[in-house]
Amino acid sequence: KRMFRSLAELHDTAGFKERLEREFPQGAAELERCGEEDPVSRRRFMRLMGASTALAGLGMAACRRPVGKILPYARGVEWMIPGKAVYYATAMPRAAGATSIVAKVHEGRPTHLQGNPLHPSTNGGTDHFAVASILDLYDPERSRSYKKANNPITDSEFRSFFSEKKKKLADSGGEGLAFLHGAGTSPTRQRLALKVLEQFPKAKFYQFEAVDRDGVETATADLYGSRKQLLHRVEGADRILSIGCDFLGIDHIADDSTCGFSARRNVEDGANAESMNRLYVLEHQYTLTGGMADHRHPVKVGDMPLVTAHIAAKVGELT
């Protein structure tokens, strides 16, 4: 029984044969020319291909992988054993403070970050931004040189430029000198800024964050007074209502919010089902928190204040 894959193959037209020949790799059609005036047999074709490969190898004889020798340390490195991890307590700076983390290091190279279980702010948990920040240490696009007017310069050029500017600014007390940095609570940066202001009292420091917490800080000050900070303990909540807040995704409300929420969702074989938390989400777009919600309701951005006020009124009646 004759089988065919298309009507063109059934009719066996000239156009179909031409397209079929172009479908296969270059040189495949030469194998089908046996018996013609200028035949190319399979054996001859393989002979030509072998000769081409051999000649290509002669031309690539000088191209080889660079030789690298592994030498032992002249002096042993403290606490380092090849293949054994070493852990260091450190912190990841953020706009609203810092996240306490533990860095896992192999032979001087960090390989994993996790929350510090001995610190009360994390309790061993952290978010995906802190875990993924280790990739910044291996980013090939990290700054490797100084730049002036967006053009790379050498270390000596930068030092000479800095020395000239330093002499000129010393006479004016640092007038016209400004530093731009992100928001943070780094004590080291604050200490260095104070040293700069001692020598250049007219210098200015500016901070900028594309996404800040000014709205949260203002609301916290109005509700609980100034110099207060709102701390979220998600693990202690039985019912969670999220109104436009992706706290399991991009909105950082606590270092251990993801771990705290997941700890109350660990229900196996029906055990502890009564203690499992419930998540209700009102949002205007799809988020990770909405995907984890038990009940999710889409709400327009313009309707968020009205819905929030209505819920607050209902909660007020219960209390």
Side-chain angles (χ1 to χ4, degrees), residues 55-282:
L55 292 175
L58 292 176
M60 300 282 291
C63 298
R64 60 172 61 93
R65 181 178 300 177
V67 178
K69 297 182 179 180
I70 301 178
L71 301 177
Y73 290 103
R75 298 178 59 183
V77 182
E78 186 179 11
W79 301 109
M80 195 176 77
I81 300 175
K84 186 176 181 180
V86 182
Y87 297 88
Y88 295 92
T90 181
M92 173 186 173
R94 291 180 181 263
T99 299
S100 178
I101 55 179
V102 175
K104 183 179 181 181
V105 180
H106 284 88
E107 287 81 40
R109 294 180 177 271
T111 56
H112 181 64
L113 300 177
Q114 61 185 20
N116 192 341
L118 301 180
H119 199 279
S121 66
T122 58
N123 296 318
T126 187
D127 60 355
H128 53 281
F129 288 104
V131 176
S133 64
I134 193 174
L135 299 177
D136 296 336
L137 302 176
Y138 303 95
D139 187 1
E141 297 183 358
R142 291 185 66 184
S143 298
R144 299 175 179 270
S145 61
Y146 299 101
K147 285 188 176 182
K148 180 182 179 181
N150 205 25
N151 296 320
I153 59 176
T154 62
D155 181 71
S156 59
E157 291 176 345
F158 170 76
R159 293 184 181 277
S160 60
F161 169 79
F162 186 79
S163 300
E164 294 176 1
K165 290 294 183 181
K166 186 177 180 180
K167 294 178 181 179
K168 295 180 180 180
L169 293 171
D171 300 334
S172 61
E175 185 176 0
L177 177 62
F179 296 89
L180 177 63
H181 57 80
T185 58
S186 172
T188 303
R189 185 172 62 191
Q190 185 177 3
R191 176 174 53 84
L192 295 176
L194 293 176
K195 287 187 176 182
V196 172
L197 291 176
E198 290 178 0
Q199 188 173 0
F200 306 103
K202 295 183 180 181
K204 303 294 183 181
F205 287 84
Y206 301 93
Q207 70 178 23
F208 172 77
E209 287 289 339
V211 180
D212 54 29
R213 294 173 53 86
D214 292 345
V216 177
E217 294 175 357
T218 302
T220 303
D222 293 341
L223 293 173
Y224 307 106
S226 60
R227 304 184 65 84
K228 301 292 183 179
Q229 185 176 1
L230 186 62
L231 299 178
H232 297 82
R233 295 299 183 187
V234 184
E235 67 277 4
D238 296 329
R239 301 292 184 269
I240 303 173
L241 173 62
S242 174
I243 304 177
C245 179
D246 185 18
F247 68 91
L248 296 178
I250 61 176
D251 294 331
H252 180 266
I253 63 171
D255 294 330
D256 59 343
S257 59
T258 304
C259 296
F261 172 78
S262 302
R264 297 288 301 274
R265 310 286 285 192
N266 187 15
V267 180
E268 298 180 357
D269 300 331
N272 300 324
E274 297 181 357
S275 63
M276 187 178 75
N277 57 19
R278 293 293 185 271
L279 176 60
Y280 303 85
V281 175
L282 305 177

Side-chain angles (χ1 to χ4, degrees), residues 30-42:
E30 299 294 336
L31 299 177
E32 301 178 358
R33 294 174 55 185
C34 300
E36 299 182 4
E37 296 180 357
D38 184 20
V40 180
S41 62
R42 294 177 182 271

